[in-house]
Structures are given as C-alpha cells and as structure tokens.
Amino acid sequence: MAVFFTGCEAKLKDQGGSGGGGGNNGNGGNNNSGTGGSTSGGGTTSNSNSGGNTETDATSSTTTETTTTEQPSSFPSDSPSSTVMTTKSPSSSPIVKVTKSPIPLPTTAPSVKPTSLPVEDPTPPPSMVPSRAHLQSITTIPQFGSSMELDSAYGYIFNIRSTTTGPAVIITGIDFVTESTARVNYELWSRLGSYESYKGTYDGWELVASGTTRGQGSSGYTSIPDAMFTPVSIPGGSDDDGTRAFYLTLNTKELVYKLGESGAAVADKQTQATSEELEVYEGESIMSYPFPDAETQSYFYRGPRQFVGVIHYDRFAVQAV
C-alpha cells in the first residue's frame, strides 16, 4: 500500500511537476490557472468575451444609413423625414455667374461739352407788382360831372386805334352815359378802319349791338348787356390797319358827350384817353337819327367832341375777328 501510495505519490508528483507546480503552487496554479485562464482559459474567456462583446456591439448598436434620392417628391410630407437625404453631388456652379473679364471700354462721358459757367448776375427776383390782367378797360372821362361842359345828342361817332407797339385786342363791351333813367333804345355800329368817308351810310358798317336797356342817368354808366354785344377786334400796329370806328346812337336826344379840347380844330386828330394797347380819339356828335347824310346834312355833325363812357377789351386777342 505504501509502495502504491508512493508510486501514486510519485506519479502524482510527476503529474504535479507538470501541472503540479500547480499542486504545490496551488496559488500559483490558481494564478497560472487564473493567469493562464487569462492566457489560456482566460484567453478563451477573453476571446469569448471579446468576441461576445463584438457580437453584442454589432447587434445592439444602430447603423445610420444614408439614402440618396434621384429627385424630390412632388408633394411635401406631413412631417419631417427621419432619414437624412443628401444629393449625389453639389451643384455644378453658383447661381450668379461671374463675368470672365471687365467691360472692354468704359462708359462714355456724361456730356460732350461741359456746362458753361454760371451767369455772373443771377436772374432778378420776381416783381412785386403782378402782371396786368388780360381784361382791361379805358374810362374816357375819368371824373365827369355837372361842372363839365357836357351836352347831349342822338349819336356819337369816333375812332379807336391800337398803339404803335401794341398787340391786337378784342373790344368786349362799351358803357355810355345817358340823361335818361327810363328804358332807352340803342344801336352800336362798327367798321374796321376810320369812319371818314363812311358818315351817313350804313354800307361798310356792322351792327354789333342793339336793344333796349334802362338808363342810369347822367351820374352813372349805362352798360350794353354782354349777351347783346358782339366782340370785335382791333389789329395791332396803329395807322389805318390798327383803326376801328364806332357809331353809337339812341333814338332820342339823350346821349351825353363832352366838348373837345380847344386846341383841336377838327375831329380825329387828338387822343382823349389812352392805355398801353389803345388810343381813343376825339370824334363828332350827331344831332339827328337815323344816320344823317354827311354831304347833304353835314350840319348835324359837330366836332371835335369827346365820348363819355368806358371801353372794355381783352388785350390777349388770338386773332382778328
């Protein structure tokens, strides 16, 4: 038994020497086993664990996939997509293109010639007095009254001329003075040119106003209604070309006139009233109605005499009427 034990012990020793140092070095054996376990068995475990961990990571981790679309969808989705979508490649070029080179030639100069130097003197300031209105009037006797040498007749004949530098004007109305405060019948005749050689005949005359109106007496002006007056023009330039004659008459001896200036021997030689555009000449009173013949009834004409009234005109005549 002892021998067998010895033999077994020896045998065990032999085995222990092989793994035995583990026997005696149980701790070492264990260490070897532990270390070895780390090396051998442990390597297996480590490999197993490592492999296991690799498998576990490969299994448990989420893989992000990138999906490429050929073109966007036709309609927007109800909610954002969880999948990141990218294009296959960036755009070929920016939207705004850069010119290859600058413009070959600069733009032309602003003007061929520079502007001239400013004037030495600035333009004058506007006048304090406004320009004259286009509608004007001439009062032939500015302040007439009973103290003046006034008289009455059936009618009165006279010329109005434009000034030498005056423009063409349009006569738009005539006021006169009558002794009557009742209704009076009036006639106004006119012709382009002087009344000389046309006294006592209606040939060459135009009736521009006729009717009945209430007289304002010798202290005021009696107006011919605008509706009854036909405007007539006086060309510019004075002389015969710029002359227009008027023959105003009532059918009663109530038209007021004034004696002419003592320096004038005959009518139509001296002006009695003027404006920038017109000149009113002294004329003749007519002591009968209708238009008396100047050759056979010359005694009905008295001159020089002055018209008492107002001439209304438009100084912006467009053309002769």
Side-chain angles (χ1 to χ4, degrees), residues 160-191:
I160 299 178
R161 292 181 174 89
S162 60
T163 58
T164 304
T165 58
V169 301
I170 296 179
I171 304 300
T172 58
I174 290 181
D175 303 338
F176 59 91
V177 177
T178 177
E179 295 175 342
S180 177
T181 55
R183 298 190 69 82
V184 295
N185 298 317
Y186 63 87
E187 296 176 18
L188 179 64
W189 299 77
S190 182
R191 70 175 308 273

mmCIF file of all heavy atoms in Angstrom, residues 160-191:
data_model
loop_
_atom_site.group_PDB
_atom_site.id
_atom_site.type_symbol
_atom_site.label_atom_id
_atom_site.label_comp_id
_atom_site.label_asym_id
_atom_site.label_seq_id
_atom_site.Cartn_x
_atom_site.Cartn_y
_atom_site.Cartn_z
ATOM 1 N N ILE A 160 -61.048 154.343 -82.617
ATOM 2 C CA ILE A 160 -60.123 153.780 -81.611
ATOM 3 C C ILE A 160 -58.982 153.129 -82.388
ATOM 4 O O ILE A 160 -59.222 152.351 -83.324
ATOM 5 C CB ILE A 160 -60.810 152.739 -80.699
ATOM 6 C CG1 ILE A 160 -61.959 153.389 -79.924
ATOM 7 C CG2 ILE A 160 -59.802 152.133 -79.732
ATOM 8 C CD1 ILE A 160 -62.711 152.413 -79.034
ATOM 9 N N ARG A 161 -57.751 153.443 -81.970
ATOM 10 C CA ARG A 161 -56.580 152.889 -82.655
ATOM 11 C C ARG A 161 -55.693 152.138 -81.665
ATOM 12 O O ARG A 161 -55.609 152.513 -80.484
ATOM 13 C CB ARG A 161 -55.769 154.003 -83.336
ATOM 14 C CG ARG A 161 -56.470 154.660 -84.508
ATOM 15 C CD ARG A 161 -55.599 155.730 -85.158
ATOM 16 N NE ARG A 161 -56.239 156.259 -86.369
ATOM 17 C CZ ARG A 161 -57.089 157.291 -86.391
ATOM 18 N NH1 ARG A 161 -57.399 157.920 -85.251
ATOM 19 N NH2 ARG A 161 -57.625 157.694 -87.527
ATOM 20 N N SER A 162 -55.024 151.096 -82.159
ATOM 21 C CA SER A 162 -54.028 150.405 -81.339
ATOM 22 C C SER A 162 -52.764 151.249 -81.304
ATOM 23 O O SER A 162 -52.502 152.053 -82.206
ATOM 24 C CB SER A 162 -53.731 149.015 -81.909
ATOM 25 O OG SER A 162 -53.231 149.125 -83.230
ATOM 26 N N THR A 163 -51.980 151.107 -80.259
ATOM 27 C CA THR A 163 -50.720 151.834 -80.152
ATOM 28 C C THR A 163 -49.719 151.275 -81.154
ATOM 29 O O THR A 163 -49.899 150.182 -81.705
ATOM 30 C CB THR A 163 -50.160 151.746 -78.734
ATOM 31 O OG1 THR A 163 -49.972 150.360 -78.391
ATOM 32 C CG2 THR A 163 -51.107 152.378 -77.729
ATOM 33 N N THR A 164 -48.639 152.031 -81.358
ATOM 34 C CA THR A 164 -47.649 151.636 -82.369
ATOM 35 C C THR A 164 -47.062 150.268 -82.079
ATOM 36 O O THR A 164 -46.866 149.452 -82.984
ATOM 37 C CB THR A 164 -46.530 152.690 -82.437
ATOM 38 O OG1 THR A 164 -47.115 153.963 -82.695
ATOM 39 C CG2 THR A 164 -45.527 152.351 -83.527
ATOM 40 N N THR A 165 -46.779 150.009 -80.830
ATOM 41 C CA THR A 165 -46.183 148.723 -80.448
ATOM 42 C C THR A 165 -47.208 147.787 -79.804
ATOM 43 O O THR A 165 -46.834 146.734 -79.291
ATOM 44 C CB THR A 165 -45.022 148.947 -79.468
ATOM 45 O OG1 THR A 165 -45.509 149.653 -78.306
ATOM 46 C CG2 THR A 165 -43.918 149.773 -80.114
ATOM 47 N N GLY A 166 -48.467 148.192 -79.822
ATOM 48 C CA GLY A 166 -49.484 147.393 -79.156
ATOM 49 C C GLY A 166 -49.900 146.171 -79.953
ATOM 50 O O GLY A 166 -49.801 146.147 -81.186
ATOM 51 N N PRO A 167 -50.375 145.136 -79.263
ATOM 52 C CA PRO A 167 -50.855 143.933 -79.936
ATOM 53 C C PRO A 167 -52.291 144.113 -80.408
ATOM 54 O O PRO A 167 -52.936 145.126 -80.133
ATOM 55 C CB PRO A 167 -50.782 142.879 -78.834
ATOM 56 C CG PRO A 167 -51.105 143.658 -77.595
ATOM 57 C CD PRO A 167 -50.480 145.025 -77.795
ATOM 58 N N ALA A 168 -52.794 143.142 -81.093
ATOM 59 C CA ALA A 168 -54.214 143.121 -81.449
ATOM 60 C C ALA A 168 -55.030 142.907 -80.182
ATOM 61 O O ALA A 168 -54.623 142.173 -79.270
ATOM 62 C CB ALA A 168 -54.491 142.023 -82.455
ATOM 63 N N VAL A 169 -56.154 143.565 -80.088
ATOM 64 C CA VAL A 169 -57.028 143.435 -78.923
ATOM 65 C C VAL A 169 -58.441 143.169 -79.400
ATOM 66 O O VAL A 169 -58.776 143.372 -80.571
ATOM 67 C CB VAL A 169 -56.987 144.698 -78.044
ATOM 68 C CG1 VAL A 169 -55.584 144.986 -77.555
ATOM 69 C CG2 VAL A 169 -57.558 145.897 -78.789
ATOM 70 N N ILE A 170 -59.276 142.739 -78.476
ATOM 71 C CA ILE A 170 -60.685 142.493 -78.767
ATOM 72 C C ILE A 170 -61.537 143.420 -77.912
ATOM 73 O O ILE A 170 -61.412 143.418 -76.673
ATOM 74 C CB ILE A 170 -61.061 141.022 -78.500
ATOM 75 C CG1 ILE A 170 -60.306 140.093 -79.445
ATOM 76 C CG2 ILE A 170 -62.562 140.822 -78.656
ATOM 77 C CD1 ILE A 170 -60.600 138.626 -79.225
ATOM 78 N N ILE A 171 -62.386 144.199 -78.533
ATOM 79 C CA ILE A 171 -63.330 145.047 -77.808
ATOM 80 C C ILE A 171 -64.485 144.158 -77.353
ATOM 81 O O ILE A 171 -65.168 143.532 -78.170
ATOM 82 C CB ILE A 171 -63.847 146.195 -78.698
ATOM 83 C CG1 ILE A 171 -62.664 147.009 -79.258
ATOM 84 C CG2 ILE A 171 -64.788 147.090 -77.911
ATOM 85 C CD1 ILE A 171 -61.802 147.644 -78.209
ATOM 86 N N THR A 172 -64.691 144.101 -76.047
ATOM 87 C CA THR A 172 -65.690 143.182 -75.483
ATOM 88 C C THR A 172 -66.934 143.885 -74.959
ATOM 89 O O THR A 172 -67.926 143.213 -74.633
ATOM 90 C CB THR A 172 -65.066 142.361 -74.348
ATOM 91 O OG1 THR A 172 -64.565 143.265 -73.343
ATOM 92 C CG2 THR A 172 -63.912 141.496 -74.865
ATOM 93 N N GLY A 173 -66.907 145.232 -74.861
ATOM 94 C CA GLY A 173 -68.087 145.925 -74.360
ATOM 95 C C GLY A 173 -67.887 147.433 -74.330
ATOM 96 O O GLY A 173 -66.747 147.920 -74.337
ATOM 97 N N ILE A 174 -68.990 148.177 -74.309
ATOM 98 C CA ILE A 174 -68.959 149.641 -74.236
ATOM 99 C C ILE A 174 -70.067 150.106 -73.298
ATOM 100 O O ILE A 174 -71.217 149.640 -73.399
ATOM 101 C CB ILE A 174 -69.129 150.285 -75.626
ATOM 102 C CG1 ILE A 174 -67.876 150.045 -76.482
ATOM 103 C CG2 ILE A 174 -69.400 151.780 -75.497
ATOM 104 C CD1 ILE A 174 -67.936 150.672 -77.862
ATOM 105 N N ASP A 175 -69.696 150.992 -72.365
ATOM 106 C CA ASP A 175 -70.659 151.662 -71.498
ATOM 107 C C ASP A 175 -70.788 153.118 -71.958
ATOM 108 O O ASP A 175 -69.806 153.717 -72.415
ATOM 109 C CB ASP A 175 -70.202 151.637 -70.039
ATOM 110 C CG ASP A 175 -69.965 150.225 -69.521
ATOM 111 O OD1 ASP A 175 -70.527 149.277 -70.104
ATOM 112 O OD2 ASP A 175 -69.198 150.078 -68.547
ATOM 113 N N PHE A 176 -71.942 153.698 -71.817
ATOM 114 C CA PHE A 176 -72.151 155.092 -72.201
ATOM 115 C C PHE A 176 -72.942 155.807 -71.113
ATOM 116 O O PHE A 176 -73.401 155.191 -70.133
ATOM 117 C CB PHE A 176 -72.881 155.179 -73.555
ATOM 118 C CG PHE A 176 -74.223 154.500 -73.582
ATOM 119 C CD1 PHE A 176 -75.386 155.199 -73.267
ATOM 120 C CD2 PHE A 176 -74.341 153.154 -73.948
ATOM 121 C CE1 PHE A 176 -76.628 154.583 -73.286
ATOM 122 C CE2 PHE A 176 -75.577 152.534 -73.969
ATOM 123 C CZ PHE A 176 -76.728 153.249 -73.639
ATOM 124 N N VAL A 177 -73.123 157.106 -71.284
ATOM 125 C CA VAL A 177 -73.881 157.907 -70.320
ATOM 126 C C VAL A 177 -75.074 158.501 -71.048
ATOM 127 O O VAL A 177 -74.949 159.061 -72.142
ATOM 128 C CB VAL A 177 -73.011 159.022 -69.705
ATOM 129 C CG1 VAL A 177 -73.848 159.897 -68.768
ATOM 130 C CG2 VAL A 177 -71.830 158.418 -68.944
ATOM 131 N N THR A 178 -76.224 158.364 -70.433
ATOM 132 C CA THR A 178 -77.457 158.954 -70.979
ATOM 133 C C THR A 178 -78.141 159.781 -69.895
ATOM 134 O O THR A 178 -78.004 159.498 -68.692
ATOM 135 C CB THR A 178 -78.412 157.858 -71.486
ATOM 136 O OG1 THR A 178 -79.630 158.478 -71.937
ATOM 137 C CG2 THR A 178 -78.725 156.851 -70.418
ATOM 138 N N GLU A 179 -78.848 160.782 -70.309
ATOM 139 C CA GLU A 179 -79.597 161.603 -69.353
ATOM 140 C C GLU A 179 -80.804 160.857 -68.805
ATOM 141 O O GLU A 179 -81.328 161.205 -67.734
ATOM 142 C CB GLU A 179 -80.067 162.895 -70.031
ATOM 143 C CG GLU A 179 -78.929 163.810 -70.455
ATOM 144 C CD GLU A 179 -79.445 165.015 -71.218
ATOM 145 O OE1 GLU A 179 -80.607 164.959 -71.708
ATOM 146 O OE2 GLU A 179 -78.712 166.000 -71.328
ATOM 147 N N SER A 180 -81.250 159.844 -69.502
ATOM 148 C CA SER A 180 -82.477 159.152 -69.141
ATOM 149 C C SER A 180 -82.243 158.123 -68.045
ATOM 150 O O SER A 180 -81.192 157.476 -67.966
ATOM 151 C CB SER A 180 -83.069 158.455 -70.363
ATOM 152 O OG SER A 180 -84.217 157.712 -70.017
ATOM 153 N N THR A 181 -83.292 157.984 -67.222
ATOM 154 C CA THR A 181 -83.320 156.894 -66.244
ATOM 155 C C THR A 181 -84.398 155.875 -66.612
ATOM 156 O O THR A 181 -84.640 154.922 -65.871
ATOM 157 C CB THR A 181 -83.591 157.444 -64.830
ATOM 158 O OG1 THR A 181 -84.802 158.206 -64.839
ATOM 159 C CG2 THR A 181 -82.436 158.313 -64.366
ATOM 160 N N ALA A 182 -85.017 156.126 -67.739
ATOM 161 C CA ALA A 182 -86.017 155.180 -68.258
ATOM 162 C C ALA A 182 -85.327 154.222 -69.231
ATOM 163 O O ALA A 182 -84.109 154.256 -69.423
ATOM 164 C CB ALA A 182 -87.142 155.946 -68.946
ATOM 165 N N ARG A 183 -86.094 153.382 -69.854
ATOM 166 C CA ARG A 183 -85.515 152.452 -70.821
ATOM 167 C C ARG A 183 -85.227 153.204 -72.111
ATOM 168 O O ARG A 183 -86.034 154.025 -72.566
ATOM 169 C CB ARG A 183 -86.475 151.283 -71.083
ATOM 170 C CG ARG A 183 -86.758 150.460 -69.833
ATOM 171 C CD ARG A 183 -87.496 149.193 -70.164
ATOM 172 N NE ARG A 183 -86.672 148.260 -70.903
ATOM 173 C CZ ARG A 183 -85.775 147.426 -70.348
ATOM 174 N NH1 ARG A 183 -85.584 147.450 -69.043
ATOM 175 N NH2 ARG A 183 -85.104 146.595 -71.097
ATOM 176 N N VAL A 184 -84.052 152.922 -72.673
ATOM 177 C CA VAL A 184 -83.617 153.592 -73.904
ATOM 178 C C VAL A 184 -83.302 152.544 -74.960
ATOM 179 O O VAL A 184 -82.861 151.429 -74.657
ATOM 180 C CB VAL A 184 -82.374 154.479 -73.652
ATOM 181 C CG1 VAL A 184 -82.720 155.636 -72.713
ATOM 182 C CG2 VAL A 184 -81.210 153.662 -73.083
ATOM 183 N N ASN A 185 -83.516 152.918 -76.208
ATOM 184 C CA ASN A 185 -83.171 152.047 -77.341
ATOM 185 C C ASN A 185 -81.800 152.474 -77.882
ATOM 186 O O ASN A 185 -81.578 153.661 -78.126
ATOM 187 C CB ASN A 185 -84.237 152.161 -78.434
ATOM 188 C CG ASN A 185 -85.604 151.704 -77.967
ATOM 189 O OD1 ASN A 185 -85.727 150.683 -77.301
ATOM 190 N ND2 ASN A 185 -86.646 152.458 -78.308
ATOM 191 N N TYR A 186 -80.936 151.528 -78.083
ATOM 192 C CA TYR A 186 -79.569 151.830 -78.517
ATOM 193 C C TYR A 186 -79.213 151.007 -79.752
ATOM 194 O O TYR A 186 -79.757 149.922 -80.001
ATOM 195 C CB TYR A 186 -78.555 151.557 -77.391
ATOM 196 C CG TYR A 186 -78.511 150.089 -76.972
ATOM 197 C CD1 TYR A 186 -77.696 149.173 -77.631
ATOM 198 C CD2 TYR A 186 -79.325 149.628 -75.937
ATOM 199 C CE1 TYR A 186 -77.683 147.839 -77.268
ATOM 200 C CE2 TYR A 186 -79.305 148.296 -75.571
ATOM 201 C CZ TYR A 186 -78.486 147.401 -76.246
ATOM 202 O OH TYR A 186 -78.492 146.087 -75.890
ATOM 203 N N GLU A 187 -78.244 151.514 -80.510
ATOM 204 C CA GLU A 187 -77.625 150.788 -81.629
ATOM 205 C C GLU A 187 -76.129 151.089 -81.599
ATOM 206 O O GLU A 187 -75.738 152.235 -81.361
ATOM 207 C CB GLU A 187 -78.196 151.235 -82.980
ATOM 208 C CG GLU A 187 -79.652 150.943 -83.190
ATOM 209 C CD GLU A 187 -80.155 151.504 -84.514
ATOM 210 O OE1 GLU A 187 -79.301 151.805 -85.394
ATOM 211 O OE2 GLU A 187 -81.374 151.683 -84.679
ATOM 212 N N LEU A 188 -75.323 150.063 -81.862
ATOM 213 C CA LEU A 188 -73.873 150.248 -81.953
ATOM 214 C C LEU A 188 -73.394 149.611 -83.254
ATOM 215 O O LEU A 188 -73.537 148.399 -83.451
ATOM 216 C CB LEU A 188 -73.154 149.614 -80.752
ATOM 217 C CG LEU A 188 -71.621 149.726 -80.763
ATOM 218 C CD1 LEU A 188 -71.187 151.195 -80.683
ATOM 219 C CD2 LEU A 188 -70.997 148.924 -79.615
ATOM 220 N N TRP A 189 -72.822 150.455 -84.116
ATOM 221 C CA TRP A 189 -72.272 150.004 -85.387
ATOM 222 C C TRP A 189 -70.755 150.138 -85.343
ATOM 223 O O TRP A 189 -70.222 150.989 -84.632
ATOM 224 C CB TRP A 189 -72.833 150.841 -86.545
ATOM 225 C CG TRP A 189 -74.324 150.750 -86.694
ATOM 226 C CD1 TRP A 189 -75.273 151.371 -85.941
ATOM 227 C CD2 TRP A 189 -75.010 149.973 -87.667
ATOM 228 N NE1 TRP A 189 -76.528 151.045 -86.366
ATOM 229 C CE2 TRP A 189 -76.401 150.177 -87.447
ATOM 230 C CE3 TRP A 189 -74.623 149.137 -88.704
ATOM 231 C CZ2 TRP A 189 -77.389 149.588 -88.217
ATOM 232 C CZ3 TRP A 189 -75.614 148.543 -89.483
ATOM 233 C CH2 TRP A 189 -76.969 148.763 -89.236
ATOM 234 N N SER A 190 -70.072 149.278 -86.125
ATOM 235 C CA SER A 190 -68.609 149.337 -86.134
ATOM 236 C C SER A 190 -68.084 148.922 -87.510
ATOM 237 O O SER A 190 -68.756 148.185 -88.255
ATOM 238 C CB SER A 190 -68.015 148.421 -85.053
ATOM 239 O OG SER A 190 -66.606 148.503 -85.033
ATOM 240 N N ARG A 191 -66.888 149.402 -87.810
ATOM 241 C CA ARG A 191 -66.216 149.004 -89.047
ATOM 242 C C ARG A 191 -64.721 149.044 -88.815
ATOM 243 O O ARG A 191 -64.213 149.831 -87.999
ATOM 244 C CB ARG A 191 -66.606 149.912 -90.211
ATOM 245 C CG ARG A 191 -66.069 151.316 -90.141
ATOM 246 C CD ARG A 191 -66.404 152.119 -91.406
ATOM 247 N NE ARG A 191 -66.012 151.416 -92.627
ATOM 248 C CZ ARG A 191 -64.788 151.503 -93.154
ATOM 249 N NH1 ARG A 191 -63.845 152.236 -92.567
ATOM 250 N NH2 ARG A 191 -64.516 150.872 -94.271
#
